[in-house]
Amino acid sequence: MKIGILANKNKVKDENTILALTEFLKNNGHTTVRFFAPTEIDGVDVLIVLGGDGAILHSAVISARKNIKIIGINYGTLGFLTEYEKSERDLIQDLLSQLEKGECRILKRSIIEVAVLGHTFYALNEIALQRDNGLRTTKDSQIMKLFVETQSGSDVIAGDGVLFCTPTGSTAYSLSAGGAILVPEVPVFMMTPICAFSMRARPIVFADSEEITVRIGRGNSILLCDGVTIAKLPEGTELRIKKAPFTADFPVRDGSDFFAKVRNKLNS
């Protein structure tokens, strides 16, 4: 197989680590390509990411759109999305062999899409719509008002904003904001209010076949995709949110246990 290697230079500072992985893969019959930035990702069957969850998030959408599978080796702090710890590097060949034979499970993680102001953006974890104090004048309210329309009905959310997350993102920002943990394979999205002004505002789970419309009724805001600021949005802006037509595919090794990961990674 043709395998790309992308390392977070802030986490993997020893070049010999990458050279050793490259040599290991070549000795096992693979062709390797070194990428130095996510924008370079192209023309490989599998991308091996050396870093933490941030490095995978920066690579996931680009890889997904090019049908490139992702395997992470944790060199970060949490590594919830990675399949291996750095001490397990040599075990990766077992998974690659199973992948070549079509014998390993592929976890297809859904990606969320948002269309706004004539542009389309994607996120593996979540889309966040938050109030922007930097844009606020003395005449503006500190509380945002958002009008949400779905196939199931409509609602008004007042507060600091709202998150729309995938099952993958349910263990990230949404969890900190009071959302539930979702198993990665379930075909749903979750809407999680951020510091809501009403006690009745609670996370709501939708089928990911729905298209959700959000209109900013009051307050200037910022749009973030996977933690990256994408745009500043004025009052009256409308966003359309739905499931992307592609998935981020993660080969999974035998014995992978989501609940064990939750216990071990999120219980610190």
Side-chain angles (χ1 to χ4, degrees):
M1 281 192 300
K2 193 170 184 179
I3 299 175
I5 300 173
L6 177 66
N8 181 341
K9 63 182 180 181
N10 295 320
K11 302 294 184 181
V12 185
K13 297 181 179 180
D14 186 353
E15 185 68 17
N16 289 326
T17 298
I18 302 168
L19 294 175
L21 176 60
T22 300
E23 190 66 20
F24 174 78
L25 293 170
K26 287 181 178 179
N27 290 339
N28 281 278
H30 304 291
T31 303
T32 62
V33 180
R34 172 82 178 274
F35 299 125
F36 293 90
T39 53
E40 298 176 357
I41 298 169
D42 196 14
V44 295
D45 303 302
V46 177
L47 177 70
I48 296 178
V49 179
L50 282 68
D53 292 330
I56 290 180
L57 288 174
H58 293 153
S59 309
V61 171
I62 294 172
S63 299
R65 299 189 76 171
K66 297 181 178 182
N67 199 29
I68 297 171
K69 297 174 178 60
I70 304 168
I71 300 174
I73 301 178
N74 184 27
Y75 281 82
T77 304
L78 186 61
F80 196 83
L81 297 177
T82 60
E83 192 64 22
Y84 294 95
E85 299 299 320
K86 59 185 178 182
S87 60
E88 300 177 306
R89 187 207 69 185
D90 290 355
L91 299 179
I92 200 169
Q93 176 53 32
D94 294 335
L95 184 57
L96 293 173
S97 296
Q98 290 180 346
L99 183 60
E100 283 186 302
K101 298 173 185 176
E103 295 176 352
C104 78
R105 181 167 71 93
I106 306 295
L107 176 55
K108 293 183 174 294
R109 296 182 181 270
S110 58
I111 290 174
I112 197 165
E113 172 186 310
V114 57
V116 59
L117 300 178
H119 299 280
T120 303
F121 306 100
Y122 301 95
L124 176 62
N125 268 356
E126 78 281 309
I127 293 163
L129 190 59
Q130 300 177 181
R131 67 183 174 99
D132 186 355
N133 290 329
L135 287 176
R136 185 169 56 82
T137 68
T138 55
K139 294 182 180 180
D140 289 330
S141 169
Q142 295 185 29
I143 299 173
M144 288 184 66
K145 181 179 284 186
L146 303 170
F147 297 93
V148 181
E149 295 281 346
T150 76
Q151 296 170 13
S152 305
S154 61
D155 200 1
V156 180
I157 296 175
D160 283 356
V162 67
L163 304 171
F164 292 91
C165 76
T166 65
T168 298
S170 71
T171 53
Y173 189 1
S174 176
L175 185 63
S176 298
I181 293 177
L182 304 175
V183 175
E185 293 93 336
V186 294
V188 299
F189 291 138
M190 182 162 54
M191 179 177 73
T192 307
I194 305 171
C195 297
F197 193 61
S198 170
M199 289 296 290
R200 68 150 186 86
R202 291 291 182 267
I204 299 176
V205 176
F206 300 93
D208 64 12
S209 57
E210 288 207 34
E211 181 172 311
I212 301 168
T213 301
V214 181
R215 181 171 60 85
I216 303 172
R218 182 177 65 203
N220 296 306
S221 67
I222 54 174
L223 173 68
L224 300 94
C225 291
D226 288 339
V228 178
T229 301
I230 299 298
K232 296 181 179 181
L233 306 178
E235 286 185 6
T237 301
E238 187 172 279
L239 304 90
R240 294 186 179 275
I241 298 164
K242 63 181 182 179
K243 182 180 180 180
F246 49 85
T247 59
D249 296 349
F250 288 72
V252 178
R253 57 177 164 171
D254 293 338
S256 182
D257 186 333
F258 174 74
F259 293 103
K261 213 170 225 187
V262 169
R263 289 194 301 272
N264 297 331
K265 299 277 188 179
L266 300 183
N267 202 32
S268 57

